[in-house]
Amino acid sequence: MEQNPTFHLGVQQDPPKEPTGSESSIPSAPTPAPTPPQRTPSSSSLHKSSITSPHGHRSSFAENLRGLPSSPRSQRHPSFTQSAIQDLLNHPPVGGRHNARFAGKDWRDIAIGQIVTDDDVRWVELDTSVEDASMALIKNTTSNVVLIRENSTSTTAISTFDYSDLNAYILVVVGLGQPPDDLVALYDDITKRAQARDSIPLRDIQPICRKETLVKVQGDEDLATAVEIFGSGIHRILVTNFQGEVVGILSQLKLMEFFWNEGINFRVIDDLYPRLMKELGVGSQQIIAVNSDSPLADALTLMSQEGLTSVAVVDNGLNVVGNISTADVRLLISAASLPLFHNTCMHFVSVILGERGVEQGKDSFPVFYVNPYSTLAHTVAKLVATHSHRMWVVESASPSPSAPSTPSLPPTVFVSNSTPSSQPAVPGTHYPSPSVPASALPGSHLSGRLTGVVTLTDILNLFARSTGLNPSDPSEQRARRRRSSSSSIRPSMESSRASIDIRR
């Protein structure tokens, strides 16, 4: 077998050399003893002095280092000053490019149809199964809603199906729904059919879905109409043509993105961005949050009962450590996710972050909070970047030594007595999952104590009032949204809600 000379084991001997002519004329001499093998000295600059003559100059350590490359620090650009960083946070740059067709125009003269597209419209029928409708909803990432029509030939929307509806349905399926007396039989029937894996059409679950007012506006209406509607608390508008056919969907978030990207063209809006949230006085101190140690079922039930799209997750010190929204229920549509209902909200926040890291290819910790000294620009930039409906307001030290810190009065906190053991049993096998403490997540020490909330409705209401429009009181729509929920609401909460309501 052929041997590799590189890994050949044993002693190698030099082949015999043929004597040359000059070698034959020299008398033979005794063969000297073989010289023992010598180690070859290192050729690095730090060892060259060891092979020089003892009578020569010995190089110093400093001389040997003269040829090394210079430190990268000597080429580093100067760091931003603290004031420069704060200015960047207060006045974040606008992403994307401004649309030239809106330059020089008053935003109130721009038609709604100019900023919507029919790509946002996704249809399902009343006889479409809940499972298929859920898949269509998850795929429609632009508007987070699918429209329901009577049949496949119709272009008239009779209802919608969004993540709040999916959340309400999931709660019924796992036995966590709280039906009024006239819907007890329907809830039981849906639960049994779902556990038997029967196909359930959207038609059958309409009574359990929370229905927001379905508002339709023709595409030739101006943006002032949309701003006034959104500032009154409506979250979504269906845009139609002259025949009544739906040609687009305009949401609060999409309109906010438009104002953020094109604000430079609208002086009245752009002048509001540098002002502080504390100065503008937008937002509310009536907050509903959930404790990080509470079971996830509490947060989902809370959002369904109160007609909310998200709730803050806080630790025992009321510090914001996360956010759970109705859109996150997309992670709960498989049977394997059943154990999550009994695990903590903090654990579910870690699941959300892990899923986001897989989708985006990198770890991320979206920040869902601002403070009273944040500018409106900073707040809107975060809402747009996180695609959120609300930002939590946390107390923060004053940026000025002469101004007091916030808040001046501590909020009153109501804590319910519900515990994980009081929840109905979730069908299926329970697989234990490790509980994640709030302190273990990145960014958990960067927030502050929860003191308020500011929503897209609040900001669009500000835009409407600052331009002379007269939106209705958003609290009326919020109350209507809670009343439209099929789940029962505790009378004590409606009559005596304090600044912050924490569910544990």
Side-chain angles (χ1 to χ4, degrees):
M1 185 175 66
E2 182 181 358
Q3 298 288 341
N4 189 333
T6 306
F7 297 97
H8 178 71
L9 300 179
V11 179
Q12 292 188 0
Q13 295 181 351
D14 295 333
K17 298 169 65 177
E18 293 293 334
T20 62
S22 58
E23 289 177 336
S24 60
S25 61
I26 301 175
S28 62
T31 304
T35 305
Q38 301 290 331
R39 292 183 60 183
T40 304
S42 172
S43 60
S44 68
S45 60
L46 297 180
H47 294 85
K48 287 182 179 179
S49 60
S50 63
I51 61 175
T52 58
S53 171
H55 303 289
H57 172 69
R58 178 185 290 268
S59 300
S60 66
F61 182 76
E63 289 175 338
N64 289 324
L65 294 178
R66 287 176 180 172
L68 295 180
S70 59
S71 170
R73 294 186 178 183
S74 62
Q75 303 176 1
R76 187 173 57 184
H77 295 286
S79 301
F80 281 107
T81 63
Q82 182 64 32
S83 60
I85 295 176
Q86 188 62 45
D87 185 67
L88 183 62
L89 291 175
N90 289 336
H91 310 285
V94 178
R97 297 179 179 178
H98 305 297
N99 196 323
R101 64 175 176 165
F102 300 127
K105 290 186 177 181
D106 189 304
W107 64 267
R108 289 165 291 191
D109 297 332
I110 297 175
I112 295 176
Q114 291 183 265
I115 64 173
V116 298
T117 171
D118 56 3
D119 292 337
D120 297 336
V121 181
R122 296 290 186 274
W123 293 99
V124 293
E125 287 76 52
L126 274 174
D127 292 326
T128 301
S129 68
V130 178
E131 182 179 0
D132 290 342
S134 300
M135 292 299 102
L137 175 63
I138 293 173
K139 291 179 181 178
N140 186 14
T141 58
T142 55
S143 61
N144 287 338
V145 66
V146 292
L147 305 183
I148 302 176
R149 56 188 176 184
E150 184 66 39
N151 51 60
S152 58
T153 61
S154 174
T155 56
T156 302
I158 59 177
S159 187
T160 59
F161 182 72
D162 58 19
Y163 284 110
S164 293
D165 300 323
L166 180 57
N167 180 38
Y169 171 76
I170 290 176
L171 289 174
V172 174
V173 169
V174 300
L176 296 175
Q178 300 178 17
D181 294 339
D182 59 333
L183 293 179
V184 171
L186 175 63
Y187 275 52
D188 291 342
D189 178 65
I190 291 176
T191 301
K192 292 176 182 178
R193 291 167 64 186
Q195 292 177 357
R197 298 189 176 183
D198 293 340
S199 178
I200 302 177
L202 290 173
R203 187 187 304 273
D204 293 353
I205 71 166
Q206 290 304 296
I208 73 173
C209 294
R210 175 188 59 78
K211 289 304 164 190
E212 186 179 270
T213 305
L214 201 62
V215 179
K216 299 180 181 179
V217 177
Q218 286 192 3
D220 61 343
E221 293 281 348
D222 54 47
L223 285 187
T225 302
V227 171
E228 200 165 40
I229 293 174
F230 286 147
S232 302
I234 299 295
H235 292 170
R236 185 184 301 118
I237 294 174
L238 303 187
V239 183
T240 63
N241 57 18
F242 293 109
Q243 290 75 35
E245 300 171 333
V246 178
V247 294
I249 300 174
L250 182 62
S251 65
Q252 284 185 330
L253 180 59
K254 187 164 188 175
L255 183 58
M256 185 64 71
E257 289 177 337
F258 171 78
F259 279 130
W260 177 241
N261 293 328
E262 305 297 337
I264 194 172
N265 291 323
F266 313 130
R267 182 64 181 271
V268 176
I269 301 296
D270 198 48
D271 287 346
L272 293 172
Y273 285 143
R275 300 177 63 180
L276 302 181
M277 300 300 293
K278 182 181 179 70
E279 176 188 354
L280 293 170
V282 296
S284 172
Q285 290 186 337
Q286 292 186 341
I287 318 156
I288 300 178
V290 63
N291 191 274
S292 59
D293 295 330
S294 299
L296 173 62
D298 284 3
L300 301 179
T301 302
L302 185 62
M303 288 189 290
S304 182
Q305 288 178 344
E306 294 295 307
L308 299 173
T309 56
S310 63
V311 291
V313 181
V314 298
D315 60 16
N316 293 331
L318 295 185
N319 298 298
V320 178
V321 294
N323 183 86
I324 295 177
S325 72
T326 52
D328 296 323
V329 301
R330 71 187 188 281
L331 304 176
L332 303 172
I333 60 176
S334 67
S337 63
L338 289 176
L340 291 174
F341 287 87
H342 277 318
N343 216 316
T344 65
C345 290
M346 197 72 259
H347 175 74
F348 188 58
V349 169
S350 69
V351 172
I352 296 170
L353 297 178
E355 184 69 17
R356 186 176 291 113
V358 171
E359 293 176 354
Q360 298 180 356
K362 59 182 179 180
D363 294 335
S364 64
F365 192 88
V367 180
F368 295 98
Y369 53 84
V370 294
N371 65 67
Y373 295 98
S374 299
T375 60
L376 180 62
H378 181 71
T379 304
V380 171
K382 282 190 174 183
L383 286 166
V384 171
T386 58
H387 296 275
S388 303
H389 183 266
R390 56 180 46 82
M391 279 285 139
W392 310 110
V393 181
V394 299
E395 67 181 19
S396 174
S398 169
S400 172
S402 60
S405 60
T406 59
S408 57
L409 292 176
T412 304
V413 179
F414 280 102
V415 180
S416 68
N417 295 324
S418 64
T419 61
S421 59
S422 67
Q423 295 292 338
V426 179
T429 305
H430 179 75
Y431 299 96
S433 302
S435 180
V436 179
S439 59
L441 289 180
S444 59
H445 301 290
L446 301 179
S447 66
R449 193 169 186 269
L450 181 62
T451 61
V453 62
V454 58
T455 67
L456 291 173
T457 297
D458 298 325
I459 297 176
L460 291 171
N461 183 275
L462 171 67
F463 288 173
R465 289 184 288 106
S466 64
T467 52
L469 301 177
N470 297 300
S472 61
D473 187 357
S475 61
E476 298 177 2
Q477 183 64 31
R478 290 173 182 140
R480 188 179 300 112
R481 192 176 294 118
R482 288 195 296 270
R483 288 194 299 269
S484 69
S485 172
S486 59
S487 299
S488 59
I489 301 175
R490 296 186 305 169
S492 59
M493 182 185 300
E494 284 297 298
S495 60
S496 61
R497 175 176 298 141
S499 296
I500 302 181
D501 185 2
I502 303 295
R503 300 302 182 86
R504 304 183 66 126

